[in-house]
């Protein structure tokens, strides 16, 4: 097989990120935008030792699950991967991904529940981060990176965002050109709290230059009355990390406020906060429900962020202890407890592994532990400490099925996996959130 070779093939399966898998001789060819059962002509774009990548040229057999994407740039854009799938097929794809990882990595023969769907699977993102640059004509481009590249696809209307966010992006693009500020800026971040109608705008810049933004800030505030915060963030580092450590308030407050699970939350530029407010409520209510909490329970909330899960659970239990390594998140969590009048919570800033080891040395017992780690999952040491803490129940919330399954493979020796429930937090993309209930075997 060689690059630019044109083959005819049939899609037999999907990769974890939604690429079609086509078998050709001894090769697996991965093709974006191809559905199981479809046949077509494919041009080979990259050849490795045992696999290759291809681009679909023409379909000769089309799946009944294929739909026309609502977005005109979805084929090349890296923001969405599944718009060509019917929503029902997206849900089945995500269920299969979780099932395969649970079976093949965790080696568990356990039923995975159907994915909890979103009623309207568009316009759900309350946060968007977009790269900013000048194009070859000297005009400002704001958009998403093209699939597998750092080339920007300019967007006029992203269907995962709200009308407010799309309108703001267009206006900011116009103003950056007018005031010649584009070369200062690396990224634009918008946080929109749907329930409270509050919007935060963050300019991520190469250097501090507050004075240059005075006129653009005035114009933006006049254009969009929902703006409650405009921040200049400085990040000169050439890394994949978007936000730097320096913030300068250009307008309004340092936070916006959202309503979630009947509580108010202050969200700063650096706060971790789930991007889909409506599905997050389903996720958290489910996690709290399956935990079967009582007023006698003393619970631990690991990777607590700004305290969302722990504070939502606090009214059902005796005490909540939250642990998070990001200092600003802990500051926000404490403030969120204060503004909601919640007193039976304690938030600790520290590494999950080290703090849980400290709890173990103090013979601390928690009746239930909520674990909501980043995509990489828990370290082996943290999993072992969780086991040593001997909590009656663990509710593990995961945004990455493969690392969830890896961690369950360790936990299953000491815990029964009672329930596996995926939730579609990210429609039109391959990402899926999963909630698992585990109960201690020797209880």
């Amino acid at each position: 097989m060689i690059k630019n070779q044109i083959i005819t093939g049939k899609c037999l399966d999907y990769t974890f990120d939604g690429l079609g898998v086509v078998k050709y001789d001894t090769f697996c060819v991965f093709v974006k935008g191809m559905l199981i059962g479809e046949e077509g002509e494919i041009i080979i774009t990259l050849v490795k030792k045992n696999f290759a990548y291809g681009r679909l040229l023409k379909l000769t057999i089309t799946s009944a699950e294929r739909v026309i994407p609502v977005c005109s740039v979805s084929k090349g854009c890296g923001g969405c991967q599944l718009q060509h799938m019917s929503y029902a097929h997206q849900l089945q794809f995500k269920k299969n991904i979780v099932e395969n990882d649970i079976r093949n990595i965790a080696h568990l023969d356990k039923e995975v529940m159907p994915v909890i769907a979103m009623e309207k699977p568009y316009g759900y993102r309350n946060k968007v981060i977009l790269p900013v640059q000048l194009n070859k004509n000297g005009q400002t481009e704001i958009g998403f990176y093209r699939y597998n590249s750092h080339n920007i696809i300019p967007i006029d209307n992203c269907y995962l965002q709200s009308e407010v966010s799309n309108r703001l992006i267009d206006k900011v693009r116009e103003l950056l050109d007018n005031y010649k500020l584009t070369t200062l800026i690396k990224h634009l971040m918008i946080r929109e709290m749907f329930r409270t109608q509050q919007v935060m705008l963050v300019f991520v810049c190469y250097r501090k230059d507050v004075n240059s933004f005075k006129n653009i800030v005035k114009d933006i505030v006049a254009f969009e009355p929902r703006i409650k915060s405009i921040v200049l963030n400085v990040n000169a580092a050439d890394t994949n990390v978007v936000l730097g450590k320096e913030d300068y308030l250009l307008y309004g407050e340092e936070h916006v406020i959202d309503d979630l699970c009947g509580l108010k939350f202050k969200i700063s530029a650096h706060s971790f906060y789930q991007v889909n407010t409506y599905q997050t409520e389903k996720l958290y209510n489910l996690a709290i429900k399956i935990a079967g909490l009582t007023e006698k329970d003393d619970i631990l909330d690991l990777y607590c962020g700004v305290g969302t899960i722990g504070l939502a659970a606090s009214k059902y239990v005796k005490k909540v202890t939250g642990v998070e390594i990001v200092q600003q998140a802990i500051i926000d969590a404490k403030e969120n407890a204060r503004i909601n009048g919640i007193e039976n919570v304690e938030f600790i800033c520290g590494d999950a592994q080290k703090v849980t080891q400290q709890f173990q040395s103090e013979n601390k017992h928690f009746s239930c532990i909520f674990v909501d780690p980043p995509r990489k999952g828990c370290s082996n040491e943290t999993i072992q400490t969780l086991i040593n803490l001997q909590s009656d129940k663990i509710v593990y919330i995961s945004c990455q099925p493969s690392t969830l399954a890896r961690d369950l493979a360790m936990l299953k020796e000491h815990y029964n996996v009672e329930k596996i429930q995926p939730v579609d937090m990210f429609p039109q993309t391959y990402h899926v959130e999963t909630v698992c209930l585990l109960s201690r075997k020797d209880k």
Side-chain angles (χ1 to χ4, degrees):
M1 179 171 285
I2 59 173
K3 185 177 179 180
N4 293 326
Q5 180 180 349
I6 295 177
I7 66 171
T8 299
K10 181 178 181 179
C11 181
L12 303 175
D13 203 352
Y14 299 121
T15 62
F16 76 94
D17 54 354
L19 299 181
V21 179
V22 175
K23 294 289 181 69
Y24 188 83
D25 291 336
T26 60
F27 277 78
C28 281
V29 182
F30 304 127
V31 185
K32 187 175 188 285
M34 206 168 182
L35 300 182
I36 288 176
E38 292 187 331
E39 296 182 16
E41 291 183 1
I42 300 157
I43 185 169
I44 303 301
T45 57
L46 180 66
V47 180
K48 296 291 187 178
K49 184 178 180 180
N50 297 313
F51 63 92
Y53 288 91
R55 186 175 76 250
L56 182 63
L57 296 177
K58 182 176 68 173
L59 283 174
T60 54
I61 296 179
T62 303
S63 169
E65 299 296 343
R66 176 170 290 277
V67 296
I68 298 173
V70 296
C71 177
S72 61
V73 299
S74 66
K75 186 176 180 180
C77 180
C80 293
Q81 302 85 35
L82 307 182
Q83 274 199 35
H84 60 293
M85 289 186 187
S86 70
Y87 189 50
H89 197 57
Q90 290 184 34
L91 298 176
Q92 187 59 51
F93 160 77
K94 295 182 182 190
K95 181 176 185 289
N96 291 344
I97 292 294
V98 176
E99 283 179 333
N100 290 338
D101 285 344
I102 294 297
R103 181 175 60 251
N104 297 325
I105 300 174
H107 302 293
L108 282 167
D109 183 18
K110 183 68 183 177
E111 178 187 13
V112 174
M113 303 300 291
V115 181
I116 294 177
M118 188 173 187
E119 184 179 350
K120 296 179 180 179
Y122 289 99
Y124 60 83
R125 289 195 64 95
N126 61 38
K127 182 176 84 168
V128 60
I129 298 175
L130 300 167
V132 179
Q133 66 183 24
L134 286 176
N135 64 20
K136 62 183 180 181
N137 297 319
Q139 296 174 319
T140 301
E141 286 185 338
I142 303 176
F144 292 100
Y145 287 125
R146 187 177 295 277
Y147 179 69
N148 275 350
S149 83
H150 280 87
N151 298 321
I152 291 178
I153 292 182
I155 60 165
D156 295 318
N157 183 37
C158 174
Y159 288 87
L160 301 194
Q161 300 165 191
S162 71
E163 291 182 7
V164 172
S165 291
N166 284 317
R167 193 167 66 239
L168 261 175
I169 291 166
D170 286 341
K171 187 63 176 180
V172 169
R173 184 189 293 114
E174 172 194 323
L175 293 173
L176 290 179
D177 278 335
N178 290 346
Y179 291 112
K180 310 299 182 185
L181 291 175
T182 306
T183 55
L184 283 176
I185 300 173
K186 296 174 71 174
H187 289 89
L188 178 72
M189 181 170 83
I190 300 172
R191 304 195 86 144
E192 180 187 359
M193 305 295 101
F194 296 141
R195 297 258 171 79
T196 60
Q197 301 289 291
Q198 296 188 6
V199 178
M200 170 184 283
L201 192 63
V202 181
F203 293 105
V204 183
C205 298
Y206 291 97
R207 65 181 186 273
K208 177 187 175 183
D209 191 352
V210 173
N211 290 333
S212 293
F213 284 84
K214 287 183 178 178
N215 289 327
I216 192 173
V217 165
K218 183 171 64 175
D219 289 352
I220 289 170
V221 172
F223 174 77
E224 180 49 68
R226 300 182 190 184
I227 292 281
K228 300 298 179 184
S229 174
I230 301 180
V231 175
L232 188 155
N233 175 268
V234 179
N235 184 7
D238 186 19
T239 68
N240 291 329
V241 178
V242 173
L243 294 178
K245 295 181 179 180
E246 296 178 51
D247 287 328
Y248 300 92
L249 186 64
L250 301 178
Y251 171 81
E253 303 292 331
E254 294 179 346
H255 299 79
V256 285
I257 295 177
D258 198 18
D259 290 339
L260 183 73
C261 297
L263 301 173
K264 293 188 180 301
F265 290 94
K266 278 189 173 182
I267 311 299
S268 68
H270 296 264
S271 298
F272 170 78
Y273 192 68
Q274 293 278 9
V275 301
N276 188 331
T277 305
Y278 307 109
Q279 292 295 92
T280 297
E281 286 194 329
K282 293 181 183 179
L283 178 78
Y284 289 174
N285 288 334
L286 170 68
I288 291 168
K289 180 180 179 180
I290 65 176
L293 302 175
T294 72
E295 60 185 14
K296 296 180 180 180
D297 286 329
D298 191 347
I299 70 172
L300 175 63
D301 179 11
L302 275 186
Y303 310 96
C304 69
V306 297
T308 45
I309 299 175
L311 292 172
S314 64
K315 64 182 178 180
Y316 302 103
V317 301
K318 180 181 178 182
K319 184 181 179 183
V320 176
T321 302
V323 178
E324 169 62 55
I325 196 170
V326 179
Q327 185 176 16
Q328 184 58 52
I330 288 295
I331 293 171
D332 291 343
K334 291 178 178 178
E335 176 64 8
N336 289 329
R338 186 193 67 80
I339 65 176
N340 287 287
I342 297 173
E343 298 181 348
N344 62 332
V345 295
E346 177 185 9
F347 291 107
I348 299 170
C349 185
D351 177 73
Q353 177 185 327
K354 293 179 180 178
V355 175
T356 49
Q357 287 174 342
Q358 179 65 29
F359 289 150
Q360 183 184 345
S361 69
E362 296 170 352
N363 294 317
K364 180 73 174 174
H365 177 74
F366 299 96
S367 51
C368 182
I369 301 176
F370 287 83
V371 185
D372 189 4
R375 204 170 297 280
K376 65 181 180 180
C378 300
S379 68
N380 290 346
E381 293 79 9
T382 301
I383 292 293
Q384 188 57 54
T385 308
L386 285 176
I387 293 170
N388 295 341
L389 284 173
Q390 296 187 336
S391 172
D392 299 334
K393 289 171 286 190
I394 296 174
V395 178
Y396 193 131
I397 301 172
S398 169
C399 58
Q400 181 73 13
S402 59
T403 55
L404 167 66
R406 179 203 66 201
D407 292 350
L408 290 181
M410 292 183 64
L411 289 166
K412 71 178 183 181
E413 301 303 319
H414 302 271
Y415 283 84
N416 293 312
V417 179
E418 304 286 354
K419 188 180 183 72
I420 304 173
Q421 176 64 71
V423 180
D424 192 20
M425 298 281 284
F426 315 100
Q428 317 308 325
T429 81
Y430 65 83
H431 299 289
V432 59
E433 203 93 0
T434 310
V435 184
C436 290
L437 173 65
L438 298 87
S439 61
R440 188 156 56 90
K441 289 183 175 180
D442 58 352
K443 179 181 174 183

